[in-house]
Amino acid sequence: MEENNKKKVVLSGIRSTGNLHLGNYYGALSKFLRMQDDFDCRFFIADLHALTTNPDPKQLHESVKNILAEYLAAGLDPEKNILYVQSDIPEISEMYLLLNMHVGIGELMRTASFKDKARKALGITSDSDEIEKEIIGNQTSNQRVNAGLLTYPTLMAVDILIHHADYVPVGKDQEQHLELTRRFARRFNSFYKTDYFGEPVNFNFGGEALKVPGLDGSGKMGKSEGNCIYLIDDEKTLRKKVMRAVTDEGPKTPNQLVSQPVENLFTLMDIVSGKDVTDHYRQAYADCSIRYGDMKKQLAEDILKVTLPIRERILDIRSNDEYLSKVVRNGAERARAYAADTLKDVREIMGIRKI
Ligand code: TYM
C-alpha cells in the first residue's frame, strides 16, 4: 500500500449506457489496460452520469453489470485497480453539490457536449449558436433539457478531483470536460487561497487523444450516433457492420483526394490493424487499384481478433453475479476511503464545520 501511494493516481470512467464499443475501447479502455501495472488506477462505471438521459431503471442496472463484465473481460484486474460503481460512493454526490456553488451556468451552457445533447433533447437540427435561447424558451413538460445534463461537467470534475487524480485517460471528445475540471480546480484553489487541488491531464502514452470514427461516413463512433461496433457483437453481426460501412465509388484518378467516409475507414484501420496495413491500402487508393471489399474484409478480420476473445470472456463473467458483486463491493470500500478524506477536507476548507 505504501508503495502504491507513491504512484501517480489514474482515474477514469465510462457511462453505463448499454455496451462498450470500439470508441470506448480504443479511446479509453485500452489505455486503462496499459496503465494498470504502473499506476495507482481507479476505474469506475458512471451510472449517475447515465441518469442525465433518463434511462429505463431496469436497463440502467443491466448496463452497469454489462460495463463491469466488459471491464473485467477486457483484462482490468480488480487486484491491481480499484473498480467501482459511481453511485456506490455517496461522497461524490455531496461534493457535486458543493462544487456546483463555484460553477457558472454560462460556462456550462457553452460546453460543446451540452449543446449537442440539448439539441438532441429538443429535436433541433441546426447548429445555431442560439441554442441557449432555445433551451430557455423551450422548457415544456416533456421536452426539456434537464439540469443534470447542464451540470454534467461538475459531476465529472468531482469524480476526478475527489481522487486527486494526476492522469485521466479519455478519448478526444472528453478533453473539454477535462479542461473544465482544471478550471474548476484552479477556481476553488484561488477562492479559498489554497493549493488543495492539482490539475489533472489526459494520458496518451505520448501520442494524441483518439477519436474513433463511425462507419456511417460521418463523425465519431458513439451510442447516440447508432453507428457502433460493440465488443459483444458476434462474428456475423460484426462482419455485416463492417461490410456495410459507407464508402464511395472509388478513386478515378491517381492520388485523388480521399472522401470523408473512406478516410474514416483508413483511420479505423490505422487504429485496429496498424499503420503498415493501412499504408498498403492507402497506396492501393493512390494508384486506383483499391477494392473496398477487400479492405473491409481485412478490417473485419483485424477487429475480430481483438473483440472475439473479449466477447467470450464477457459471456462467461456476465453470468457470475456473485463475482461481479464481490468486485464492486470491494472497489466501493476502497474508493470511499479516498473520497471520504477529500470530502472531509473540502467541507473544512469551505467552512462547513460542526458547531
Ligand atoms: P463516455 O461514456 O461517453 O465514453 C467513455 C470513454 O470512451 C471514450 N470514447 C471515445 N474515444 C474515442 N473515440 C470515440 N468515438 C469515443 N467514444 C467514446 C470517451 O472519450 C471516454 O473516455 N463523461 C465521460 C464519463 C466520465 C468520466 C468521468 C471519464 C464521467 N466521469 C471522470 C473520466 C473521468 C463519458 O461520458 O464518457
Side-chain angles (χ1 to χ4, degrees):
M1 192 68 196
E2 207 159 85
E3 193 201 329
N4 227 19
N5 280 339
K6 287 185 209 133
K7 291 181 180 174
K8 295 274 189 201
V9 174
V10 174
L11 183 282
S12 197
I14 298 184
R15 265 175 310 148
S16 46
T17 48
N19 293 96
L20 297 184
H21 53 77
L22 290 188
N24 300 136
Y25 184 78
Y26 287 104
L29 184 51
S30 67
K31 296 202 273 185
F32 306 174
L33 294 168
R34 283 177 68 190
M35 294 178 91
Q36 64 179 337
D37 287 318
D38 302 319
F39 298 96
D40 174 357
C41 292
R42 306 150 195 202
F43 299 118
F44 70 100
I45 297 157
D47 58 342
L48 297 177
H49 276 104
L51 283 176
T52 54
T53 48
N54 303 128
D56 170 75
K58 213 168 140 214
Q59 270 171 11
L60 177 69
H61 182 67
E62 284 304 299
S63 291
V64 172
K65 275 169 71 177
N66 286 344
I67 309 287
L68 177 62
E70 291 170 355
Y71 272 176
L72 295 163
L76 282 188
D77 181 344
E79 301 291 322
K80 292 182 188 160
N81 309 288
I82 301 181
L83 302 180
Y84 64 96
V85 180
Q86 187 185 29
S87 62
D88 280 341
I89 318 296
E91 288 78 5
I92 291 174
S93 299
E94 184 175 338
M95 193 167 135
Y96 164 61
L97 183 147
L98 298 178
L99 190 64
N100 257 331
M101 306 306 166
H102 288 284
V103 172
I105 51 175
E107 61 191 338
L108 292 174
M109 282 178 100
R110 285 191 295 274
T111 310
S113 62
F114 172 70
K115 286 188 179 182
D116 262 10
K117 287 186 176 135
R119 275 194 199 98
K120 273 186 193 133
L122 297 175
I124 299 171
T125 44
S126 78
D127 30 274
S128 119
D129 266 346
E130 298 291 290
I131 184 77
E132 286 91 345
K133 278 190 208 140
E134 300 266 7
I135 292 165
I136 294 165
N138 230 328
Q139 298 287 301
T140 59
S141 57
N142 50 9
Q143 227 196 1
R144 84 186 85 79
V145 179
N146 70 56
L149 207 51
L150 183 67
T151 54
Y152 187 110
T154 316
L155 183 57
M156 179 157 162
V158 168
D159 289 326
I160 298 167
L161 297 176
I162 211 163
H163 283 282
H164 294 279
D166 298 290
Y167 298 129
V168 184
V170 283
K172 186 138 195 65
D173 61 315
Q174 294 298 315
E175 288 203 315
Q176 194 182 16
H177 287 152
L178 207 46
E179 185 57 51
L180 282 173
T181 301
R182 289 189 287 269
R183 193 199 291 173
F184 300 159
R186 280 196 297 275
R187 188 176 298 158
F188 182 94
N189 286 351
S190 130
F191 188 88
Y192 294 105
K193 300 185 178 46
T194 166
D195 57 0
Y196 187 66
F197 288 123
E199 292 193 28
V201 291
N202 197 350
F203 191 88
N204 296 296
F205 297 92
E208 287 276 299
L210 273 190
K211 175 180 158 187
V212 178
L215 292 182
D216 50 357
S218 55
K220 66 162 187 163
M221 186 177 288
K223 279 167 214 160
S224 46
E225 283 76 11
N227 60 4
C228 295
I229 293 178
Y230 293 101
L231 296 180
I232 191 74
D233 279 344
D234 60 46
E235 190 173 338
K236 201 167 148 214
T237 310
L238 195 145
R239 279 188 201 281
K240 218 188 216 165
K241 284 185 182 175
V242 177
M243 295 315 285
R244 279 195 190 147
V246 176
T247 51
D248 55 22
E249 293 175 326
K252 300 273 184 286
T253 52
N255 299 312
Q256 190 178 314
L257 213 66
V258 182
S259 68
Q260 192 57 54
V262 176
E263 190 55 53
N264 284 357
L265 268 184
F266 282 141
T267 305
L268 191 59
M269 190 167 232
D270 249 347
I271 295 168
V272 181
S273 315
K275 211 170 154 346
D276 289 355
V277 181
T278 321
D279 281 351
H280 167 80
Y281 287 96
R282 277 197 192 273
Q283 183 53 45
Y285 184 93
D287 63 27
C288 300
S289 66
I290 192 162
R291 293 191 348 196
Y292 291 142
D294 291 348
M295 177 171 152
K296 288 174 178 177
K297 264 188 212 144
Q298 168 90 53
L299 180 60
E301 220 48 64
D302 292 339
I303 296 175
L304 284 165
K305 267 188 224 145
V306 176
T307 59
L308 275 192
I310 299 179
R311 174 184 151 79
E312 265 173 43
R313 289 194 294 271
I314 297 171
L315 296 176
D316 201 28
I317 296 173
R318 180 71 182 71
S319 56
N320 194 340
D321 280 345
E322 206 177 310
Y323 175 58
L324 293 178
S325 123
K326 194 173 135 211
V327 168
V328 286
R329 264 199 323 255
N330 179 270
E333 200 177 308
R334 294 163 67 202
R336 274 197 82 176
Y338 291 111
D341 278 351
T342 307
L343 180 62
K344 184 166 164 281
D345 292 343
V346 167
R347 289 178 65 121
E348 177 72 26
I349 292 170
M350 292 179 77
I352 303 173
R353 295 174 195 146
K354 291 259 182 303
I355 295 181

